[in-house]
Amino acid sequence: MVRKDIAINWLKRAKSNLIRAKFEKLPDVYWEDLCYDAQQACEKSLKALLIFNEIKFRFVHDIGELINTLKKNQVSIPAEINESVIL
C-alpha cells in the first residue's frame, strides 16, 4: 500500500472511533469507554499524519509523544491539538 493510502486508512479508523466517542452515554455504557474512543481517534489521526509525512515514530499510545514527534519534524499542527494530551 502507498503511504497516502495507509494514512487514509488510519484516518478512516480514527473517524470510526470519533463517531463512537460522540454517542449518547447510555446507562450501561461506561464513561471510560467513550473516553477510550476519543483517545483512539486522536491517536490514530496523529499516526496518520506521521505516516503521511514519512516520519518514523514509536508505536505508542502516548499522544504527547506523538505530538512532540510531529513538532520535532517541523509539522505544523493547530494549537488546540496540544490539549488532546489530556486523553
Side-chain angles (χ1 to χ4, degrees):
M1 228 190 279
V2 182
R3 111 183 112 88
K4 181 179 175 184
D5 294 333
I6 295 169
I8 288 170
N9 189 45
W10 276 88
L11 285 175
K12 286 179 180 178
R13 296 181 67 72
K15 183 178 180 181
S16 173
N17 284 114
L18 184 59
I19 290 168
R20 290 189 334 189
K22 290 182 175 184
F23 281 165
E24 177 184 344
K25 195 225 175 267
L26 301 172
D28 290 339
V29 174
Y30 292 98
W31 281 111
E32 65 192 54
D33 293 337
L34 298 177
C35 291
Y36 174 79
D37 276 316
Q39 186 278 341
Q40 285 291 291
C42 181
E43 179 184 331
K44 290 173 184 175
S45 296
L46 293 169
K47 288 179 178 177
L49 191 54
L50 288 159
I51 291 166
F52 183 79
N53 285 285
E54 297 182 336
I55 299 170
K56 292 187 181 204
F57 61 96
R58 291 183 337 122
F59 274 83
V60 296
H61 303 291
D62 185 336
I63 291 172
E65 181 175 329
L66 298 172
I67 290 172
N68 286 333
T69 302
L70 286 163
K71 288 179 180 178
K72 287 177 187 173
N73 286 275
Q74 288 75 46
V75 176
S76 188
I77 57 172
E80 58 268 15
I81 297 300
N82 292 312
E83 296 175 21
S84 64
V85 297
I86 196 168
L87 295 170

